[in-house]
Amino acid sequence: MNKSTLNPSQANSAKDGDTKSAVPKRSLTPRRRAREYALQGVYQSLVVRRAGSLPNGAAISKQLSEDPAFKRCQLDLFNGIFQGVLERTDELEAIITPALDRPINELSPVEHAALLIGTYELSADLSVPYKVAINEAVELAKTFGGTDGHKYVNGVLDLLAQKLRVAETQAK
């Protein structure tokens, strides 16, 4: 199974059946776990939207909450990010689009979801330092995305942080 299946426990499993070379399990904080589940939910909503349907946030959230590991995530952070991104997807995409080098619908759904989450945290949750918002989105892209997708996410979010968090970025 490859990383694109969006299952973090399997994303780091051994390749080609060689269990001796397995990557060690990641230690997930409740906040990181919340962001990973939010990414999975946003990913699902993007896939549904790209198929021409309206995503059902409540159904996606319910399905994610059925995973036994979900109870170890910071629920208020998951709900804030997931609901915030779903409610503001069009607004967030309007913020992201000028920083892209291609149409937004050409992004992989994982990179798209990571950018939405990062942009949401940069624009709507000022309690999260901009460097943390960028780093968390980059880590999501590294875990679930393609080989160099995290570099793209980092570059786009860095540009957006300079516009959305002017005082904070200038105080480096």
Side-chain angles (χ1 to χ4, degrees):
M1 196 169 265
N2 63 31
K3 285 184 182 182
S4 66
T5 60
L6 290 181
N7 184 335
S9 63
Q10 294 172 335
N12 287 324
S13 65
K15 295 187 176 36
D16 301 322
D18 181 6
T19 56
K20 291 180 183 175
S21 67
V23 176
K25 285 189 176 183
R26 296 174 298 131
S27 174
L28 295 177
T29 65
R31 293 182 66 78
R32 173 70 53 87
R33 194 177 300 270
R35 286 184 176 96
E36 286 192 355
Y37 280 108
L39 178 91
Q40 291 179 51
V42 172
Y43 173 92
Q44 287 183 40
S45 72
L46 288 172
V47 170
V48 168
R49 275 183 41 194
R50 287 182 181 189
S53 299
L54 291 175
N56 181 336
I60 293 170
S61 184
K62 181 181 182 310
Q63 181 250 331
L64 290 171
S65 71
E66 292 171 357
D67 184 335
F70 184 82
K71 67 180 178 237
R72 294 191 308 267
C73 83
Q74 188 174 335
L75 188 58
D76 59 334
L77 181 62
F78 164 77
N79 285 327
I81 293 172
F82 182 60
Q83 294 303 324
V85 169
L86 290 189
E87 290 168 4
R88 297 176 60 187
T89 298
D90 292 338
E91 175 188 340
L92 296 170
E93 287 179 344
I95 294 170
I96 294 167
T97 299
L100 300 178
D101 63 353
R102 63 190 98 156
I104 201 161
N105 63 348
E106 290 182 11
L107 295 173
S108 80
V110 172
E111 291 167 7
H112 191 169
L115 285 170
L116 286 169
I117 289 171
T119 304
Y120 173 78
E121 288 197 284
L122 287 171
S123 65
D125 191 351
L126 300 180
S127 70
V128 176
Y130 84 97
K131 289 181 180 181
V132 172
I134 292 171
N135 184 61
E136 290 296 323
V138 167
E139 289 301 317
L140 291 171
K142 279 183 185 177
T143 301
F144 298 105
T147 304
D148 288 331
H150 67 281
K151 294 176 185 176
Y152 188 76
V153 168
N154 185 55
V156 171
L157 290 178
D158 189 55
L159 284 173
L160 295 178
Q162 293 172 32
K163 294 177 183 175
L164 298 170
R165 302 274 189 101
V166 176
E168 196 177 350
T169 58
Q170 288 178 351
K172 295 182 201 180

